[in-house]
Amino acid sequence: MQSDASVTQHCVHVIGASGRSGAALCAALRADGRAVVPLVRNPAAAASLPNARLIDLTGPEAPLRAALADATTIVCTAHARNIPALIAAAPMTAKLICLGSTRKFTRWPDAHGQGVLRGEKALMESGRTGIILHPTMIYGAQGENNVQRLASLLRFMPIVPLPAGGKALVQPIWQGDVTASILAALDKTWHGPKSLVIAGAAPVTYRHFIELVCQAAGLRRRPVLPVPVSILMLLARLTPLLPGVPRIEPTEIRRLLEDKNFDIKPMQDFLGVSPLSLDLGLKRTFS
């Protein structure tokens, strides 16, 4: 690791720099010639990242405050539940850009979604200049476990059982568009807190989503079989016992009944980002 003296004052501090979205952002910032201070919890990850600093968002405030003392712009790609700790430790003048999740809209609240809501509430009540970007399902990052995991699962399945036949809507966002949204927020000036959904170009049904993944992954098309959600949730509990089959949580099955479609005009108007279509994003992911 380089000494803090070598880090310029106007660089971007990135919390969660060793994660998928954080790593993609750091790579884009460096490619653009911008200085980065990666902030990570894992010492092994810190050792491999130039200028990295160790932090613990769940630990005492003083060490976190010290790590952020020179920050002017902070991007937090860690879970939004950590936003209250970030607000408490960050300099009052620092602009905050945080990642949330559209899980906050689920009809079946879980720890993930509730943590996003708490983080958003903390930012909005803080009055700080900052934004929480709520992405839909992110795909296309190195090591992501959404469409790649789905493709791995489809290789074992001659048919695809889906609740309600896969009629619910989904609107995944390509990792490159998530990164572009963060970069746009970095370069934009505003005052006060904001919350914004970022999503793919257009919603598709889960049935069509499956077809597009098969096509991009080089798999033959799988027919869809409508199956009651209760049976699928029961079958999901068996996946940990099947060697080579990706694990599926019963809660993931239940959320297949929810429409996850969003208006992207606010994203386009505020950030100036027009996301990729799903078919093009998948082609890039599997190429």
Side-chain angles (χ1 to χ4, degrees):
M1 292 185 289
Q2 299 178 10
S3 67
D4 291 345
S6 66
V7 181
T8 62
Q9 189 175 5
H10 301 290
C11 63
V12 181
H13 288 58
V14 180
I15 297 175
S18 61
R20 289 185 285 269
S21 291
L25 174 63
C26 289
L29 287 168
R30 291 193 180 105
D32 198 35
R34 303 174 72 164
V36 180
V37 175
L39 298 133
V40 296
R41 185 172 60 178
N42 188 317
S48 64
L49 295 172
N51 303 327
R53 300 175 186 174
L54 284 172
I55 63 166
D56 184 356
L57 290 165
T58 63
E61 182 181 319
L64 181 59
R65 183 182 294 273
L68 296 173
D70 60 343
T72 57
T73 305
I74 303 169
V75 178
C76 182
T77 64
H79 194 284
R81 71 171 70 93
N82 297 296
I83 292 176
L86 170 60
I87 291 172
M92 286 297 299
T93 55
K95 181 165 75 172
L96 310 177
I97 300 170
C98 306
L99 282 187
S101 170
T102 51
R103 184 79 66 84
K104 76 168 190 163
F105 296 109
T106 184
R107 287 180 287 165
W108 298 286
D110 56 5
H112 182 99
Q114 290 169 346
V116 172
L117 288 170
R118 286 194 299 271
E120 180 181 56
K121 183 173 184 288
L123 178 62
M124 301 306 289
E125 292 181 350
S126 72
R128 301 279 295 264
T129 294
I131 189 168
I132 180 167
L133 302 174
H134 295 291
T136 52
M137 178 201 300
I138 301 173
Y139 70 96
Q142 184 175 2
E144 64 94 349
N145 60 355
N146 290 318
V147 298
Q148 277 97 337
R149 185 179 64 150
L150 176 58
S152 296
L153 184 64
L154 288 170
R155 289 185 172 90
F156 290 92
M157 302 170 65
I159 59 172
V160 182
L162 286 175
K167 295 179 181 178
L169 298 173
V170 63
Q171 196 171 346
I173 182 168
W174 182 56
Q175 177 67 66
D177 290 325
V178 175
T179 301
S181 297
I182 297 173
L183 293 174
L186 285 171
D187 293 333
K188 194 169 183 66
T189 300
W190 74 92
H191 300 285
K194 290 184 175 290
S195 176
L196 184 68
V197 168
I198 57 175
V204 298
T205 63
Y206 273 105
R207 177 191 290 267
H208 188 43
F209 177 46
I210 295 292
E211 292 173 356
L212 290 175
V213 171
C214 285
Q215 180 179 340
L219 303 173
R220 63 174 178 79
R221 184 175 176 178
R222 266 61 170 171
V224 170
L225 176 67
V227 177
V229 67
S230 57
I231 294 177
L232 289 175
M233 290 177 69
L234 180 62
L235 292 173
R237 298 181 188 279
L238 302 178
T239 55
L241 306 177
L242 302 175
V245 176
R247 180 171 183 156
I248 302 175
E249 298 294 337
T251 52
E252 294 181 270
I253 299 296
R254 185 169 58 183
R255 286 195 296 271
L256 292 176
L257 292 171
E258 288 186 309
D259 284 329
K260 305 179 186 69
N261 57 307
F262 299 93
D263 180 10
I264 62 169
K265 190 174 186 301
M267 166 190 178
Q268 293 173 312
D269 289 347
F270 185 71
L271 298 175
V273 174
S274 294
L276 285 183
S277 63
L278 181 57
D279 58 341
L280 181 56
L282 289 172
K283 286 177 183 176
R284 294 189 181 185
T285 298
F286 286 96
S287 64

